[in-house]
Amino acid sequence: MDGASRGNPGRSSIGFCIRNENGDIVKSVGKEIEETTNTVAEAKAMVEALRFCRFKQYSHVWLQTDSMLLKKIMDGIWKPLWIIYEQIEEMMQLMNGGNYTVTHIHRENNKLTDHLANYALDHGEIECQQFWHLDAQGRRLVNEDKFQCDTKMLKTLHEATFEIIDAKEQKQINKRAQQ
């Protein structure tokens, strides 16, 4: 998920993408929100992604954010900023009762959701249920992302959720299982 704010504060949008265990798109969204800061946009993107996962009753969800601030807040390391306190409270409620993991990723690994958020500001709302519904740039970003995952293995957790385990770690698990 990602948030964008032009002017910070300024015109803002969110983008999120839900993928299944194969990395295929289940839902991707980019939409403009009220004028706000980048921090608020990032938090609202996470709330929207969690609402969708909760609606679909996904019990195992892996959230990836390029916001170290959100990651540290969700881990309980930092206290929520007053400006996103309500969003943090809603995130905690939405995550209650499920298996949710929040990880930090670098911006270069978050290109699709960044694209979706910026697409919403430049061209209007976008909502897709599969790869072919994305614009050409979005499809290219998905293909680049899948190509970069060739050194990792996907382990199914639930119909539309997954976690990545490094291939080296998987070899160690397999070795222990054989003993």
Side-chain angles (χ1 to χ4, degrees):
M1 69 220 58
D2 201 15
S5 179
R6 296 199 179 149
N8 201 21
R11 281 185 64 216
S12 299
S13 62
I14 63 167
F16 71 87
C17 181
I18 309 295
R19 297 180 188 215
N20 66 13
E21 66 275 4
N22 298 316
D24 297 327
I25 291 175
V26 173
K27 175 96 163 179
S28 59
V29 173
K31 68 178 181 179
E32 193 164 353
I33 59 173
E34 74 276 2
E35 285 194 12
T36 191
T37 65
N38 190 61
T39 300
V40 172
E42 294 273 356
K44 288 190 175 227
M46 188 176 284
V47 167
E48 288 292 321
L50 284 167
R51 283 178 183 163
F52 178 81
C53 292
R54 189 63 161 212
F55 175 75
K56 289 293 194 174
Q57 299 181 345
Y58 298 149
S59 59
H60 293 81
V61 178
W62 178 31
L63 301 162
Q64 296 179 308
T65 178
D66 62 7
S67 169
M68 183 61 78
L69 173 71
L70 277 182
K71 166 72 172 130
K72 298 269 187 186
I73 290 170
M74 298 308 291
D75 286 348
I77 297 169
W78 293 347
K79 291 185 179 183
L81 303 172
W82 66 270
I83 196 163
I84 58 170
Y85 189 80
E86 287 180 22
Q87 286 85 14
I88 298 298
E89 286 291 311
E90 185 173 357
M91 286 180 225
M92 296 301 207
Q93 289 175 358
L94 289 165
M95 292 170 61
N96 190 22
N99 185 357
Y100 292 85
T101 303
V102 180
T103 58
H104 177 261
I105 58 172
H106 296 286
R107 292 184 79 202
E108 57 270 8
N109 295 328
N110 205 27
K111 289 181 183 176
L112 177 60
T113 56
D114 178 70
H115 169 70
L116 293 167
N118 283 295
Y119 185 97
L121 289 174
D122 295 335
H123 307 289
E125 188 169 323
I126 183 170
E127 188 170 322
C128 309
Q129 277 71 37
Q130 55 182 278
F131 175 81
W132 293 108
H133 295 158
L134 288 168
D135 68 320
Q137 174 72 7
R139 291 191 305 269
R140 184 182 64 77
L141 292 169
V142 169
N143 284 334
E144 285 177 5
D145 187 42
K146 280 189 160 187
F147 181 72
Q148 291 172 3
C149 288
D150 63 344
T151 62
K152 298 182 179 181
M153 242 175 112
L154 296 175
K155 177 183 174 188
T156 303
L157 290 174
H158 186 270
E159 181 182 332
T161 60
F162 56 91
E163 70 179 11
I164 294 183
I165 297 177
D166 289 332
K168 184 177 179 182
E169 197 175 322
Q170 184 62 45
K171 285 180 185 176
Q172 291 174 347
I173 292 169
N174 291 343
K175 191 183 265 186
R176 278 183 254 148
Q178 291 174 352
Q179 295 175 349

